[in-house]
Amino acid sequence: MNIKALNGFKDILPGEVELWQRVESVARDIFARFNFSEIRLPILEHTDLFARAIGECTDIVEKEMYSFVDKQITMRPEATASLLRAVIEHGLLVQKPVQRLFTIGPMFRHERPQKGRLRQFHQLDVEVLGSASPLADAELMALGASLLVELGLAVSLELNSLGCPACRPAFRANLLNFLRDRHAALCNDCKRRCTTNPLRVLDCKNPDCRAQVADAPSLHTHLCDDCASHFHAVQEGLKQLEIPYRLNKFMVRGLDYYCRTTFEFITGDLGAQAAVGAGGRYDGLIEQLGGPPAPGIGFALGMERLVLLLQQQAAKAVGAGLDLFVAGIGEHPCRHAFALTHALRQGGMRVAMDHEGRSLKSQMKQAGKAGAAFVLILGDQELASGQALLRNMNTQEQQEIALPDAAATIRAIIRS
Ligand code: HAM
């Protein structure tokens, strides 16, 4: 019998590796622009670290950790706890009171594998330690949003505030009161959550539980003054940076260390695994792990999910093809082609051109590969005569287009 990879563990083959490299190189470039330094961490840690940081009663710690040697040692299920352990161990916050760090690497969770959910997966993890400023929250979300935009991915940002130890207990009591009458209709996990962490009932994916909590009390109306003004300032920061977001009062997150800001980058294109990235603030955690009383915030993007989205997008692009390829030959025609391409794209057409000064033959090949329906040929001669050639790639028929109103004529021809 041939030995195969373990279920939930995946080889990344040539062809796909290039997408991983692209994700990592865009990420590294953005991390540098936002002034983050890299830290590299071990994969094995004391089990206690994760139990204390993530929470004894979370799904990750209760059911999903790969632990061995009498369960004393664990393969990290996430990066935040390890990163904080390293920062505390090496006194980094004493050297510099605000640390801006990122780490990239594999994580391990014994979950049921499915599309976008693996047992070994990879995260791009970013953390800001030592800053309580709401601007740090907005800046971190702006970093995530920029990374996704630069990868060409349309993903939405959802935002919530979970309050703090001062205001959450009153909300918890209120929520428990609300859930009491609905207890029988909740799933078994949520029945258990009512005693361990009732807030998690709010983000259960089970449709029956969702229906039960549809008009549950909102944490937003229970925030203490400090949390409310922090939450307001985070939103002001996002508005100032023009980062679109949506409030989601049901987002609680599966790790216990969060307080105040939590956020997720969500896609509709990966089925059940909608979160491409997620994170939040964890003031108090550094101290809880034996470090100084420094606040912190961070998030992690799942690399498998980013790569899947890029692959799906490429598949869609091949399927859908291009409306037009503008083949410019020579410097002046290329400049003209550049402006025309932009005008047509703004008019809603899918248009591509070559920026590398390649020959007409090579550009025709590119147009064919990209599935272009039409090619517009534009050389010095065409510029001089004011007429360009539009070729229908299906029928190979060609027609002359007057350049001054080329955009409108091409749009009309292609639409008909
Ligand atoms: P998380 O929500 O558990 O948060 O994971 C962050 C991201 O990792 C998810 O949004 C998802 O894209 C990816 N991910 C998680 N589990 C899997 C899996 N089994 N297969 C594939 N991808 C997965 C954390 O891990 C926190 N440490 C994030 C954070 C950093 N919070 C503060 N700082």
Side-chain angles (χ1 to χ4, degrees), residues 289-402:
L289 293 176
I297 178 165
F299 79 103
L301 289 160
M303 294 181 80
E304 278 74 8
R305 295 185 190 175
L306 293 176
V307 168
L308 266 175
L309 285 177
L310 290 174
Q311 283 169 329
Q312 281 182 198
Q313 200 181 54
K316 259 193 223 159
V318 170
L322 287 173
D323 294 316
L324 177 74
F325 190 98
V326 184
I329 323 292
E331 197 184 326
H332 286 300
C334 276
R335 288 218 152 265
H336 198 96
F338 188 54
L340 182 60
T341 298
H342 186 63
L344 287 165
R345 283 175 180 158
Q346 284 190 309
M349 315 221 81
R350 290 162 300 175
V351 188
M353 69 168 287
D354 174 82
H355 294 298
E356 316 305 323
R358 293 198 175 92
S359 67
L360 177 61
K361 191 173 161 199
S362 152
Q363 292 196 50
M364 291 307 285
K365 263 196 198 156
Q366 275 186 65
K369 268 196 191 157
F374 288 83
V375 175
L376 185 78
I377 300 166
L378 198 58
D380 283 321
Q381 218 179 321
E382 284 76 13
L383 271 194
S385 67
Q387 301 276 333
L389 272 184
L390 184 70
R391 181 184 293 185
N392 181 322
M393 295 292 276
N394 273 336
T395 61
Q396 301 302 316
E397 279 168 21
Q398 299 197 149
Q399 66 187 102
E400 290 204 319
I401 302 286

Side-chain angles (χ1 to χ4, degrees), residues 78 80 109 111 116 118 123 127 253 257-258 275-276 298-299 302:
E78 58 116 45
T80 313
R109 294 184 196 173
E111 293 190 83
L118 287 114
Q123 286 185 342
E127 313 285 349
R253 311 273 304 117
Y257 49 61
Y258 293 114
V276 175
F299 79 103

Side-chain angles (χ1 to χ4, degrees), residues 8-38:
F9 290 72
K10 191 174 161 300
D11 302 308
I12 303 165
L13 303 178
E16 191 183 326
V17 153
E18 291 73 12
L19 283 178
W20 283 77
Q21 288 166 343
R22 184 167 148 223
V23 168
E24 196 170 322
S25 105
V26 169
R28 282 182 182 279
D29 181 49
I30 290 191
F31 294 156
R33 275 189 267 153
F34 279 73
N35 187 30
F36 280 81
S37 306
E38 184 171 9

Side-chain angles (χ1 to χ4, degrees), residues 42-55 58-67 73-83 105-111 118-123 125 253-255 257 300:
I43 283 169
L44 297 184
E45 297 277 359
H46 291 289
T47 303
D48 232 20
L49 172 68
F50 302 116
R52 276 166 62 186
I54 300 172
T58 55
D59 285 353
I60 296 179
V61 172
E62 270 190 347
K63 308 188 241 179
E64 296 169 2
M65 297 211 300
Y66 283 93
S67 302
I73 290 175
T74 290
M75 293 169 78
R76 61 181 186 190
E78 58 116 45
T80 313
S82 305
L83 190 142
M107 312 293 153
F108 303 84
R109 294 184 196 173
H110 193 268
E111 293 190 83
L118 287 114
R119 290 179 170 171
Q120 175 177 335
F121 61 98
H122 299 74
Q123 286 185 342
D125 182 273
R253 311 273 304 117
L255 302 94
Y257 49 61

